[in-house]
Amino acid sequence: MADVNRGSNPLFLRDEDLREGIELLFFAYRDFTARPDAILADYGFGRAHHRVIYFVGRHPGITVKELLAILKITKQSLARVLRQLVTKGFIEQRQGEQDRRQRLLYLTPKGEELETKLTENQRARIARAYREAGADAVAGYRSVLAGMVDDEDRERLNRPRPAS
Amino acid sequence: MADVNRGSNPLFLRDEDLREGIELLFFAYRDFTARPDAILADYGFGRAHHRVIYFVGRHPGITVKELLAILKITKQSLARVLRQLVTKGFIEQRQGEQDRRQRLLYLTPKGEELETKLTENQRARIARAYREAGADAVAGYRSVLAGMVDDEDRERLNRPRPAS
DNA sequence: TCATATATGTCAACATGGCTGACGTAAATC
DNA sequence: GATTTACGTCAGCCATGTTGACATATATGA
């Protein structure tokens, strides 16, 4: 009944605590995407382009199907963005060897350059937050966020290549 | 030069570690917003409406200016969403007493009902992740994410009412 | 071999939610 | 009394999501 000391018993979850957790996610995401968005605008691109460039860079040779599963958008939405990236020479497509229906996606050197430029600020931001918070906090960050991800993608995290 | 054991020395930040941190944020945010988005669609609303409802519920009597500072969008973008919410009876505006130029924003009972419905799933998701990860992990989650937020908003977190 | 399923692409139309620019009003402040 | 501030509004643009329909090439299984 009495007020609860947050530090000693944080698993008695007050509405305040949960709201703080929600807001942290909102503010962090908002500030995390601001700088890349500004850079993308110079290229006539948007956040969707960054996501594609990021995940293609992360998983070279990824298929369109796999990319769709990660982004959870429709193939039409992806196609529009992908077409622009291919046309402008940031991504190249190669036919799959085992399955020739597949278009395997790779960053071109130009694409890698942009990827680095875009993600640079995010990496620095994460690195700074990690360093300031310390090793134990990093482990906590990872386990809480992993717990918020739907089961189907939890396994995808921290594996260099999704099952193909 | 040799490979680094992540557990014992996580502050030697490999590119892999940073990318994992980035992806955790992306996946968590993606899955965190999916359910509310689906509910909003039934009302003809979008994610922007949720954000407004959320922060008005969080800070009853918030001014338009304060809300703009939180959302970091233009007043035109906010106005569009706000007008719909007021017209449809989810939010009501009262003239400020000290400063009569202000329009103080409040949720109507109908607005509160929707807020609960929308945020319910997010609260449950956070609560589950918190419980599974444990108290120490929660503290880590909080401190890392707080470190990623721009300075100007860091102080806003965990205060029921922004300075007005 | 033939039917079916899969991977991918494409066209068209629509909605949400950002943005810029311009302009207007009422109230506070210097 | 001039200026600043809080707020609103109209108009138009763009990025990015959606649904629905249809096409093609390839893989796979009966």
Side-chain angles (χ1 to χ4, degrees):
Chain A
M1 242 31 182
D3 203 7
V4 172
N5 180 316
R6 153 180 270 148
S8 65
N9 183 18
L11 293 185
F12 178 81
L13 298 168
R14 297 176 307 160
D15 183 70
E16 270 295 315
D17 298 325
L18 299 177
R19 281 183 176 269
E20 188 212 22
I22 290 172
E23 286 163 37
L24 276 164
L25 198 57
F26 168 75
F27 287 115
Y29 197 84
R30 183 199 63 179
D31 293 342
F32 195 67
T33 49
R35 192 71 65 97
D37 283 356
I39 297 169
L40 287 155
D42 296 338
Y43 290 78
F45 291 156
R47 197 177 292 181
H49 299 83
H50 186 190
R51 294 204 268 255
V52 169
I53 287 179
Y54 176 86
F55 283 108
V56 170
R58 173 72 154 161
H59 305 294
I62 192 173
T63 65
V64 171
K65 191 191 179 186
E66 288 166 344
L67 194 48
L68 284 172
I70 288 176
L71 300 175
K72 285 194 181 167
I73 58 175
T74 59
K75 66 173 176 173
Q76 294 93 326
S77 295
L78 175 57
R80 184 168 37 203
V81 170
L82 203 47
R83 194 187 319 126
Q84 293 170 317
L85 289 169
V86 170
T87 303
K88 294 194 179 177
F90 293 90
I91 282 182
E92 65 173 3
Q93 300 175 316
R94 295 180 215 154
Q95 195 171 48
E97 293 190 350
Q98 287 90 15
D99 186 337
R100 293 188 306 166
R101 291 171 303 181
Q102 297 177 335
R103 305 294 164 89
L104 310 184
L105 305 173
Y106 298 88
L107 291 183
T108 63
K110 190 178 166 190
E112 278 177 13
E113 197 181 328
L114 180 53
E115 198 279 334
T116 302
K117 195 171 167 187
L118 288 172
T119 313
E120 206 164 51
N121 175 264
Q122 298 189 325
R123 270 194 277 258
R125 188 176 283 262
I126 288 254
R128 181 171 58 80
Y130 274 14
R131 265 187 245 104
E132 286 174 5
D136 290 346
V138 170
Y141 166 87
R142 294 173 58 222
S143 72
V144 169
L145 278 186
M148 290 176 52
V149 175
D150 286 348
D151 294 342
E152 40 178 319
D153 278 322
R154 195 145 338 146
E155 52 175 43
R156 193 197 308 278
L157 286 158
N158 204 19
R159 284 193 315 163
R161 191 67 208 287
S164 57
Chain B
M1 240 33 180
D3 203 7
V4 172
N5 179 318
R6 155 181 269 148
S8 65
N9 183 18
L11 292 185
F12 178 81
L13 298 168
R14 298 176 307 160
D15 183 71
E16 272 294 316
D17 298 324
L18 299 177
R19 282 182 175 270
E20 188 212 23
I22 290 172
E23 287 164 36
L24 275 164
L25 198 57
F26 168 75
F27 286 115
Y29 197 84
R30 183 199 65 178
D31 294 341
F32 195 67
T33 48
R35 192 71 65 95
D37 283 354
I39 296 169
L40 287 156
D42 297 338
Y43 291 77
F45 290 155
R47 196 177 292 181
H49 299 82
H50 186 190
R51 294 203 268 254
V52 171
I53 286 180
Y54 177 87
F55 283 108
V56 171
R58 173 71 154 162
H59 305 295
I62 192 173
T63 65
V64 171
K65 191 190 179 187
E66 288 166 344
L67 195 47
L68 284 172
I70 288 176
L71 299 175
K72 285 193 182 167
I73 58 175
T74 60
K75 66 173 176 173
Q76 294 92 328
S77 295
L78 175 57
R80 186 167 36 200
V81 170
L82 203 47
R83 194 187 318 126
Q84 294 171 316
L85 289 169
V86 170
T87 302
K88 295 194 179 177
F90 292 91
I91 282 183
E92 64 173 3
Q93 300 175 318
R94 296 182 215 153
Q95 195 172 48
E97 293 191 353
Q98 287 89 17
D99 187 335
R100 292 187 306 166
R101 291 171 304 179
Q102 298 176 336
R103 307 293 163 91
L104 310 185
L105 305 173
Y106 297 89
L107 291 183
T108 62
K110 190 177 166 189
E112 278 178 12
E113 197 181 329
L114 180 55
E115 197 280 334
T116 302
K117 195 171 167 186
L118 288 172
T119 312
E120 206 164 50
N121 175 264
Q122 298 188 327
R123 270 194 277 257
R125 189 177 282 262
I126 288 253
R128 180 172 58 80
Y130 274 13
R131 267 188 244 104
E132 286 174 4
D136 289 347
V138 170
Y141 166 86
R142 294 174 59 223
S143 72
V144 170
L145 278 185
M148 290 176 53
V149 175
D150 286 347
D151 294 342
E152 40 177 318
D153 278 323
R154 196 148 334 149
E155 52 175 43
R156 194 197 306 279
L157 287 158
N158 205 19
R159 284 192 316 162
R161 193 64 208 288
S164 58

